[in-house]
Amino acid sequence: MLSKTIKHIESTIQNRDGQLPCQEVWYEQEGDVAYIYSPFHNGGMSTEQCHILLSVYQHVATLPVKVIVLMGGDECWSNGIHLNHIEVADSPADESWLNINAIDDLIYQIITTLDKLTISAVAGNAGAGGAIMALAADKVFVREGVIFNPHYKNMGDLYGSEYWTYLLPKRVGQEMATSLTEQRLPISAKKAWHIGLCDKVLDKNHKIFAAQVRHLANANAGDNEALQKMFK
């Protein structure tokens, strides 16, 4: 399994021009900004997919860039752990434990990136652990029309999983965090901005959204004074 993962990672550590036909994770660097793409099918992230994304993120974190942008996928940014993969595993209980720990390791790495500005550019819908993963970044930019489902109530609560008990209250406050997880209602991009779940709502058109993300990422990369204050 490890050798297979390493080979997959080696094929992944390249820019988008070298993307393989079925490649699930890749990155591209533009000046002081690196963009990581992970358009997983239906947004589910299996244990191995989490490991690959983590390894790519760790590699990108070593590059001489000031900003890392998590692009996810256009249709689904992320829906957290891969429930279908877990269901068909020989031991669903063991696989769910492995998957939870794998996504937790990824989110912890994002949270503890202290020498670069991290941005979640949410172009597609995000649910459960995927919605929480977006909050691990320093800034969250969302495409208009995106829907968040940041709750776990129907999944046995999963208390603390994906660091949601830390990330969600940090963003919206404890009272709103409790309301979001208990009511289990979808949240529009505009409402997410209104309650503090994201920092900006950008254009609904995917191409315009991507251009706006690049503009904002470059603007942040060029603001050395703000970056120095953040990294202190």
Side-chain angles (χ1 to χ4, degrees), residues 83-97:
L83 299 181
N84 290 339
H85 189 84
I86 290 170
E87 185 177 356
V88 299
D90 292 336
S91 174
D94 289 338
E95 180 55 33
S96 63
W97 178 246

Side-chain angles (χ1 to χ4, degrees), residues 108-165:
Y108 179 78
Q109 188 73 55
I110 299 169
I111 293 172
T112 56
T113 300
L114 304 178
D115 62 339
K116 303 179 193 302
L117 177 72
T118 53
I119 297 173
S120 290
V122 186
N125 295 340
I132 303 304
M133 186 172 76
L135 308 184
D138 299 311
K139 295 181 180 292
V140 183
F141 302 147
V142 180
R143 183 180 64 83
E144 184 180 351
V146 159
I147 299 296
F148 285 94
N149 282 286
H151 50 75
Y152 296 82
K153 192 68 175 180
N154 292 343
M155 298 172 65
D157 293 318
L158 294 178
Y159 191 86
S161 178
E162 288 93 16
Y163 294 89
W164 77 264
T165 47

Side-chain angles (χ1 to χ4, degrees), residues 51 54 58 100-110 163:
H51 287 161
L54 172 59
Q58 289 173 328
I100 287 290
N101 279 279
I103 195 171
D104 284 358
D105 289 345
L106 170 61
I107 292 174
Y108 179 78
Q109 188 73 55
I110 299 169
Y163 294 89

